[in-house]
Amino acid sequence: MQDDGRTLQDFMPGATGATTTGDGAIAREGEALPEGAQVATEAEIVEALKTVHDPEIPVNLYDLGLIYEIDIGATGDVKIVMTLTAPTCPVAGEMPGMVARAVDGVEGVGRVEVELVFQPPWTRDRMSDDAKFVLDMF
């Protein structure tokens, strides 16, 4: 994991370099795709999301159920709405950027926007069966 020097405060309302909507912050990456470029599929984006892990939990963010929404536009721009297991997560300030960079690396993805929200609150019910198995949470 690369430390880009940002902290949770960088993603809070009023922080320099971050913008907010709703109850969370937005991280942005990437640039527009050339006209006519092949747009990535949701499956390809999910695979990229599965490469992002919370350093304290040995399960990827997607299987933890932290990804609430993936919206892929016709031009390849992607908006992701995500949450955290807890607002006090020690790496909370890094997670939206980690997600944005992972998705930005997918062929056929244009601009990426990741919004961090806390409503609805995350619950264990959002976890995949694989995640529950790994974490012994059945």
Side-chain angles (χ1 to χ4, degrees):
M1 179 174 73
Q2 234 178 4
D3 181 7
D4 64 1
R6 292 184 287 185
T7 68
L8 178 59
Q9 296 306 318
D10 296 320
F11 291 94
M12 294 294 105
T16 304
T19 58
T20 60
T21 62
D23 58 342
I26 296 178
R28 292 187 173 88
E29 290 287 332
E31 46 191 67
L33 288 178
E35 191 171 322
Q38 179 75 28
V39 174
T41 66
E42 184 169 341
E44 292 168 321
I45 292 168
V46 167
E47 284 306 308
L49 291 169
K50 287 183 175 186
T51 68
V52 183
H53 291 75
D54 181 323
E56 296 182 337
I57 303 173
V59 177
N60 69 73
L61 300 185
Y62 188 83
D63 284 330
L64 279 173
L66 299 179
I67 305 300
Y68 283 0
E69 181 182 322
I70 302 169
D71 182 27
I72 306 166
T75 61
D77 291 350
V78 177
K79 179 176 183 194
I80 295 172
V81 177
M82 67 171 290
T83 194
L84 302 171
T85 55
T88 57
C89 173
V91 293
E94 299 172 33
M95 288 299 190
M98 292 166 62
V99 168
R101 286 187 294 278
V103 173
D104 183 47
V106 175
E107 181 86 20
V109 168
R111 292 177 289 249
V112 179
E113 177 178 288
V114 179
E115 181 180 5
L116 180 63
V117 300
F118 295 101
Q119 293 298 322
W122 175 84
T123 67
R124 292 182 192 188
D125 296 337
R126 297 193 55 84
M127 294 170 57
S128 71
D129 287 342
D130 289 341
K132 290 175 185 175
F133 178 78
V134 168
L135 298 173
D136 196 26
M137 297 179 102
F138 275 104

